[in-house]
Amino acid sequence: MNDVTRRDAPQVPADREPEVETLLPPVDIFEDGNALHLVADMPGVTRESLHIEVDNNVLSLEGEVRLEMPEGLTAIYAEVRAQRYARRFTLSHEIDAEAIQARIDNGVVELVLPRKETHRRRRIEVKAA
């Protein structure tokens, strides 16, 4: 068992910002006939700290988790640090970047990347002669 009150435990200077570790969030991508659906796991990220943009057909997904020191307390040992999530995807010319939708719920980010109308799967009706 760790003894967190030992004097030789690693010290965290109170005046130093914690290092921010950048992680690749795990992502699942699904598709239906009209869109791709991207689901990214970014625990601790809120709507306010989430940044999503498309620039030159590159989709960037970034979020940051900041852990604040509780008021009146001084850190003597810290393993939990701030984290940054970042992931980039090159979009196909089939994706309508102007119509991308995003939502976040409890650190799970869901994006809908619709296909352009000209690239959507459609069923062709066959008529009898």
Side-chain angles (χ1 to χ4, degrees):
M1 186 161 141
N2 291 336
D3 182 0
V4 297
T5 61
R6 288 184 10 207
R7 292 292 165 217
D8 62 339
Q11 299 295 308
V12 177
D15 61 343
R16 195 179 87 194
E17 277 289 313
E19 293 180 24
V20 178
E21 181 180 8
T22 300
L23 304 172
L24 286 175
V27 171
D28 293 327
I29 301 175
F30 308 96
E31 72 173 318
D32 60 27
N34 298 322
L36 297 178
H37 301 264
L38 184 147
V39 179
D41 191 21
M42 301 170 75
V45 172
T46 63
R47 187 175 77 74
E48 295 77 25
S49 65
L50 180 62
H51 180 75
I52 303 171
E53 75 175 23
V54 176
D55 183 25
N56 204 21
N57 273 4
V58 175
L59 172 68
S60 297
L61 181 63
E62 298 177 2
E64 195 164 329
V65 179
R66 283 273 177 200
L67 301 173
E68 300 296 326
M69 178 70 66
E71 192 173 325
L73 299 180
T74 302
I76 58 170
Y77 183 81
E79 290 183 341
V80 179
R81 294 177 286 183
Q83 295 182 51
R84 181 175 180 271
Y85 294 95
R87 195 82 186 250
R88 289 177 181 34
F89 301 91
T90 301
L91 297 179
S92 163
H93 66 279
E94 297 178 9
I95 301 299
D96 184 354
E98 298 296 320
I100 294 174
Q101 298 174 12
R103 61 178 290 232
I104 186 168
D105 185 26
N106 289 322
V108 177
V109 180
E110 297 180 37
L111 287 102
V112 177
L113 299 96
R115 289 188 168 94
K116 293 178 182 172
E117 192 68 37
T118 56
H119 290 87
R120 290 187 179 176
R121 189 180 315 156
R122 64 184 192 277
R123 182 172 173 86
I124 307 298
E125 183 181 339
V126 179
K127 298 179 181 177

